[in-house]
């Protein structure tokens, strides 16, 4: 049976991960490769590395890091952050990324999705949407939720799929960071509306939250950061608990 | 020495990285028949569309040459599909090493109570069962491996691993010295590494 995926997300700045505590046996939590390897060994199904560097130098460091990740890590990984041209995508593919996620750049210029997907295939392109519920309507935002756009979530997700995105990573800005759970009804509506897999992100505070979005929310995968980085819910504990709830996971 | 078949299908880094992780750095990337014939083992990677990939093999005369090899050959993903009789993707006539055809997944109409909707491509971790041949030495029945594909080889007498998504299909095929995985051993964690190691030890 196809397993539901658990995906830790690592934020990287100037080549180093920025969140997290020092786990036992892991001296340098800033070492993005070591932290990713640890998650992979613990049973993470994929990894997402997000580059939050603001400088060109930081981005070059990130590309170098991607080749090191590809050499070390034996599960699929997605990279995102600052990808705004097909050249950015090519550079990361050449470095060994399995997928790239694009967000603001696709809102500015939706054709970017078509260009990358037609060159490298839909399986390489994840469309990331950060949306906020305002007056009953989900609108996409950019710049980490700081700027609003007029793109409606369902229409934009559908357009991205038609342009060739192979997967949707949806974050609710109303829930992100709250640890109160995911908007499961919205996820379920997205699942009915789209034919590409959906990764749920933003809001996980407990095992129950993740179980809910993978069942009632009909999401294919759950992505989280802080619950893993701060050691609150270790991946093996999470996966065991999901298996006990009869959710198909890779143990 | 391992020869990785170069037929211009793009990035082989994930394959060479996986070889390096199991300690194999002695590989060449080539379309030279003499080198392919001399290598200890041959890997046929695959990315892209089947009929285009088949045309690229044919341009190099490799479509008729690969079936004549007598040492172990491993196809991966589309590489494996090209070793079947035909593929529905671009109506490709393939090499006919494995006695099966490659078809496109046809999802069922989703029902209200279904928690997982069948999506194309089949992407993520799924299980392999009914494992045969030394390619799966020390691998448990039901092990999880990583898939990304929209077309699948049908079950047949050459099936050496079975997976299920929408319908049963060949997760891996084997016949004489030829092997092929529809999944990606190079992205399948410790299980995938063991499968690669097993191939190198054949």
């Amino acid at each position: 049976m196809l397993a539901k995926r658990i995906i830790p997300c690592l934020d990287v700045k100037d080549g180093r991960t920025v969140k997290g505590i020092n786990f036992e046996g892991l001296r340098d939590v800033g070492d993005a490769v070591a932290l990713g390897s640890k998650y992979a060994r613990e049973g993470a199904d994929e990894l997402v590395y997000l580059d939050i560097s603001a400088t060109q130098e930081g981005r070059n460091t990130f590309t170098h890091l991607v080749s090191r990740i590809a050499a070390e890590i034996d599960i699929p990984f997605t990279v995102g952050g600052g990808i705004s041209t097909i050249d950015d995508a090519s550079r990361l593919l050449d470095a060994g990324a399995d997928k790239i996620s694009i967000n603001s750049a696709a809102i500015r210029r939706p054709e970017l999705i078509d260009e990358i997907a037609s060159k490298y295939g839909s399986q390489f392109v994840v469309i990331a949407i950060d949306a906020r519920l305002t007056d009953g309507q989900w609108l996409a935002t950019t710049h980490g939720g700081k700027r609003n756009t007029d793109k409606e979530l369902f229409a934009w997700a559908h357009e991205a799929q038609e342009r060739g995105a192979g997967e949707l990573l949806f974050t609710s800005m109303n829930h992100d960071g709250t640890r109160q759970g995911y908007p499961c009804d919205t996820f379920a509506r997205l699942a009915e509306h789209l034919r590409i897999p959906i990764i749920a992100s933003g809001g996980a505070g407990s095992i129950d939250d993740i179980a809910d979005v993978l069942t009632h929310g009909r999401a294919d995968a759950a992505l989280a950061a802080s619950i893993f980085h701060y050691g609150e819910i270790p991946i093996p504990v999470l996966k065991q608990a999901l298996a006990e709830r009869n959710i198909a996971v890779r143990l | 020495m391992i020869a990785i078949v170069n037929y211009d299908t793009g990035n082989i880094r994930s394959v060479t990285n996986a070889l390096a992780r199991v300690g194999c750095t002695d590989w060449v990337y080539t379309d030279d028949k003499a080198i392919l014939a001399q290598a200890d083992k041959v890997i046929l990677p695959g990315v892209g569309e089947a009929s285009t990939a088949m045309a690229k093999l044919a341009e190099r005369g490799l479509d008729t040459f690969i079936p004549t090899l007598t040492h172990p050959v491993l196809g991966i993903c589309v590489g494996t599909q090209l070793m079947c009789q035909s593929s529905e993707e671009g109506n490709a006539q393939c090499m006919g090493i494995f006695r099966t055809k490659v078809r496109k997944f046809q999802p069922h109409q989703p029902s209200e109570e279904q928690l997982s909707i069948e999506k194309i491509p089949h992407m993520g971790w799924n299980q392999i069962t009914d494992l045969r041949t030394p390619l799966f030495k020390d691998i448990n029945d039901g092990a999880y491996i990583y898939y990304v594909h929209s077309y699948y080889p049908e079950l047949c007498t050459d099936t050496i691993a079975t997976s299920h998504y929408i319908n049963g299909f060949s997760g891996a095929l084997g016949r004489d010295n030829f092997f092929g995985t529809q999944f990606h051993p190079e992205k399948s964690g410790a299980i995938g590494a063991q499968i690669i190691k097993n191939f190198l030890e054949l």
Side-chain angles (χ1 to χ4, degrees), chain A residues 198-209:
Chain A
I198 297 168
I199 305 168
S201 153
S206 69
I207 290 171
D208 285 339
D209 293 339

Side-chain angles (χ1 to χ4, degrees), chain A residues 11-92:
Chain A
D11 286 350
V12 175
K13 191 173 185 191
D14 304 323
R16 294 178 55 77
T17 47
V18 293
K19 282 183 201 158
I21 54 158
N22 288 304
F23 293 97
E24 202 177 330
L26 192 67
R27 227 173 304 156
D28 180 6
V29 74
D31 182 341
V33 178
L35 187 56
S37 296
K38 173 191 138 71
Y39 287 141
R41 279 196 307 277
E42 286 183 348
D45 297 304
E46 286 182 37
L47 300 173
V48 171
Y49 284 93
L50 276 187
D51 184 21
I52 57 167
S53 307
T55 63
Q56 187 55 46
E57 199 189 341
R59 279 195 279 276
N60 295 341
T61 309
F62 185 69
T63 306
H64 179 67
L65 174 68
V66 169
S67 2
R68 283 178 50 223
I69 296 164
E72 285 280 325
I73 291 184
D74 56 10
I75 59 169
F77 69 98
T78 302
V79 298
I83 298 165
S84 54
T85 65
I86 188 144
D87 288 344
D88 293 333
S90 307
R91 183 169 42 81
L92 294 163

